Amino acid sequence: MEDAATAAASSAVVVEEERLDVLNKTGQKIGISKPRGEVHRDGDYHRAVHVWIYSESTQELLLQRRADCKDSWPGHWDISSAGHISAGDSSLVSAQRELQEELGISLPKDAFELIFIYLQECVINDGKFINNEFNDVYLVTTVDPIPLEAFTLQETEVSAVKYISYEEYRSFLVKEDPDYVPYDVDEQYGQLFEIIRKRYTENTVARSLSLQKQLCRYASVSLDAELTGLSNTDRKTLGLLIKAAKLMDEIFYLQVWYSNPALRDWLKEHASASELDKLKWMYYSINKSPWSCLDENEAFLTTTDSAIKLLPEATKPVSGWKGLEYKAAFPMLKPPGANFYPPDMDKKEFKLWNDSLTEKEQNDATGFFTVIKRHTEFSLDSSSPNHAVHGTNHLMTAHDLYNVPYSKEYNSFLRKAAELLHEAGDLAGSPSLKRLLHSKADAFLSNDYYESDLAWMELDSKLDVTIGPYETYEDAIFGYKATFEAFIGIRDDKATAQLKLFGDNLQFLEQNLPMDSAYKSKNVNAAPIRVIRLLYNAGDVKGPQTVAFNLPNDERIVKDRGTSMVMLKNVSEAKFKHILQPIADVCISKEQKGLVDFESFFTHTICHECCHGIGPHTITLPDGQKSTVRKELQELHSALEEAKADIVGLWALKFLINQDLLPRSLVKSMYVSFLAGCFRSVRFGLEEAHGKGQALQFNWMYEKEAFILHPDETFSVDFAKVEEAVESLSREILTIQAKGDKEAADLLLQKYCKMTRPLKHALEKLESVQVPVDIYPIFSTVNEIAE
């Protein structure tokens, strides 16, 4: 970054002064930019990057001595590298660029860990330089110090560099040593030193105990299903499908975060090094990331635990030194956009770009099957293992963002998966399975999933397969982008035949939904329901396991053909036995706990999935424009949709009972089983869509006195009040969805999606008696088939 004094000293050529985006006091862009000098003259809020290089082996930080010609803190020791984020530029790219320009170090984005954001407000130079600066503070962790002769210093910015113990550096700042740029280590900037201290003074025994406690929340359950009904050809087909499913794992790891595959490989390779390393790998295998699903996505690993990468070309060569080794970084806070968007992109930047696109381009940008990238990132970082030149999309335009279809972004994996599916399709005896596998293979390479999703809905085969990009929970920014997953099972023909009633009555349920008739669809299709016994799953199946799913999520197909449901009966049985029954024993009153049964639990699960297929999907906004609930509610959609399916599912059960389509013996047991299920799902955490939706429902029902807390801290259902409470919440959610009212959705979730006292009491009781939160499936038989 070049300031006015530097420019005058270094060149006679007139260079336009760097412009900075002006921010408000909360750090948001206000839509204007100004020259750097005017920003500091007027005290405008703006943004910059701080990059710290830390050497693990010596526990030292790299400092730079600011050039004597600088207009702020000349000749003082300061951050490894720092600079303003120029107008229109992004944070991470600016951090990479500053490190490259000032120190001659070129590092890929997975070397940079955003550890916190620091607001610096100060006035220097006799009031002539006002610095109101939001600083994105990055940490680059190297294994050893970088030799000083490996640096290429930018003379107009940096006069020298040195390594210093982080503790010694902190002491200089505490003493306000005049040779060092001041930072108040007792305030925000103290986080830097505290983060380093915690990482490198860990108690191994305490950490092992913590991981053991986290692991104990999952009950390991074998889900092997009977394979005797499969022919030899079916078994060969199954082996190919499992191999294809494992490729969905590879893609999903990458979708979560760009350094996630390297972390996985490193943890697996070192799992036998110690008991702690074994526990790290075991818990990582459940979560498929360094963030714990059951702990509001709190990180249970740090970059310290991550993979070491060697990058000789990062600096100029030094004789006898093999090159720079760094730790593949990941942030402590789970990125809301996963790896679907640039990590430093915000909603406003996306909206400005999206508004500049044609309607077709907008559909691609907000669609399920594209990732969003930066032109500037393309030029700086080509380190991704799946990096490829995606046509001409990367050419510079007025906006920094562009999109890449999944078929290109994950081409190396999808090409192999397509080959396996075509091979399996050639072997398949069932015509509908053959059609599904060939069409899905084609979709992997064309990025058009419409025909393959129709083929999936029409699948009629003993061997049941769901594979591809479907759910959008991982995209917490907008809820647009789909993750890859796979479910392979054996159809339970008897149970499937028994459930035809539900799929056949969707239009009947739609017409009687508790909402204004103007919002009801007149063209709800019957939903095929398949009951399977799960043999294998992969991809986005981290943490808590699903007991059923309703697909596809593509609103075009939902509108034209409806949806189809798959029930995982052996997963439901395992959850009832290991989790729901013990929850009922602890949390449900003595008089009602006997009403909790598997039939009610499984039947409500069916209705939950059915109710994803009814209610608002494609909607008309107040201005007459067509849209979808997903696009209008964005990141709030998943939680509200799960709550809708749950509570409307409960409403639907009572409606079908009133129509004499289901036995009246279900009435009390379904409500009490639902109450017990609330505690099961809330334990997933309030950052997870199902847990968030369940907290909303429980707190609403408790407020309406449909759920009662007794002095012994057990719960029961008030059967006189529960029906009205269910109907009122169903009406509230359905109306919000029908209007696409994001503000109302936000208010509803803010009010009811809380860990209230009754919920907290229940969860504490369950933890004290160590009831598992969920299951961890083991698929030993089919793993042998695929090998």
Side-chain angles (χ1 to χ4, degrees), residues 699-728:
N699 289 326
W700 179 284
M701 303 287 276
Y702 185 80
E703 180 184 85
K704 306 300 181 188
E705 300 180 349
F707 292 163
I708 302 165
L709 174 61
H710 298 288
D712 64 354
E713 295 185 348
T714 62
F715 293 81
S716 65
V717 175
D718 185 331
F719 296 114
K721 296 180 179 179
V722 68
E723 188 172 350
E724 173 55 33
V726 168
E727 184 166 323
S728 64

Side-chain angles (χ1 to χ4, degrees), residues 576 581 584-585 588-598 600 665 668-670 672-673 676 715 719:
F576 184 82
Q581 194 67 67
D585 292 339
I588 304 301
S589 68
K590 184 179 179 181
E591 295 75 19
Q592 292 190 2
K593 69 172 63 176
L595 292 169
V596 177
D597 60 23
F598 178 72
S600 298
S665 58
K668 290 187 176 181
S669 61
M670 74 181 190
V672 181
S673 296
F715 293 81
F719 296 114

Side-chain angles (χ1 to χ4, degrees), residues 620-774:
T620 303
L621 300 177
D623 62 4
Q625 284 194 333
K626 292 287 186 181
S627 187
T628 66
V629 178
R630 179 178 65 90
K631 286 187 178 180
E632 294 307 311
L633 299 190
Q634 297 180 343
E635 76 279 7
L636 306 181
H637 170 63
S638 291
L640 207 65
E641 176 61 22
E642 290 305 325
K644 179 209 82 173
D646 245 3
I647 202 68
V648 175
L650 200 55
W651 168 87
L653 281 178
K654 185 61 168 63
F655 179 81
L656 293 172
I657 290 169
N658 290 343
Q659 303 300 314
D660 295 324
L661 294 170
L662 288 173
R664 292 196 172 272
S665 58
L666 272 175
V667 173
K668 290 187 176 181
S669 61
M670 74 181 190
Y671 287 131
V672 181
S673 296
F674 177 83
L675 169 58
C678 287
F679 304 126
R680 180 183 74 86
S681 296
V682 167
R683 297 175 84 202
F684 298 159
L686 300 190
E687 288 297 314
E688 194 270 347
H690 298 80
K692 191 178 292 185
Q694 200 72 69
L696 159 62
Q697 294 167 83
F698 175 89
N699 289 326
W700 179 284
M701 303 287 276
Y702 185 80
E703 180 184 85
K704 306 300 181 188
E705 300 180 349
F707 292 163
I708 302 165
L709 174 61
H710 298 288
D712 64 354
E713 295 185 348
T714 62
F715 293 81
S716 65
V717 175
D718 185 331
F719 296 114
K721 296 180 179 179
V722 68
E723 188 172 350
E724 173 55 33
V726 168
E727 184 166 323
S728 64
L729 180 56
S730 298
R731 183 180 296 107
E732 181 79 13
I733 294 175
L734 289 166
T735 303
I736 287 172
Q737 290 185 321
K739 293 180 177 179
D741 191 342
K742 187 178 181 183
E743 182 179 354
D746 194 29
L747 289 172
L748 184 69
L749 289 168
Q750 282 189 38
K751 182 176 179 180
Y752 291 101
C753 181
K754 294 177 179 178
M755 187 56 68
T756 54
R757 184 181 63 84
L759 276 177
K760 192 173 182 182
H761 279 315
L763 268 56
E764 286 173 350
K765 286 183 70 176
L766 293 173
E767 186 174 356
S768 69
V769 296
Q770 296 187 339
V771 175
V773 177
D774 211 75

Side-chain angles (χ1 to χ4, degrees), residues 471 473 485 487 534 537 540-550 566 568 571-572 575 609 680 690 774-775:
E471 304 293 4
Y473 303 124
E485 62 187 21
F487 295 87
L534 184 66
N537 66 12
D540 189 1
V541 292
K542 62 185 176 65
Q545 298 294 297
T546 187
V547 295
F549 47 87
N550 181 299
V566 176
L568 312 179
V571 178
S572 293
K575 290 203 180 200
E609 296 306 327
R680 180 183 74 86
H690 298 80
D774 211 75
I775 64 167

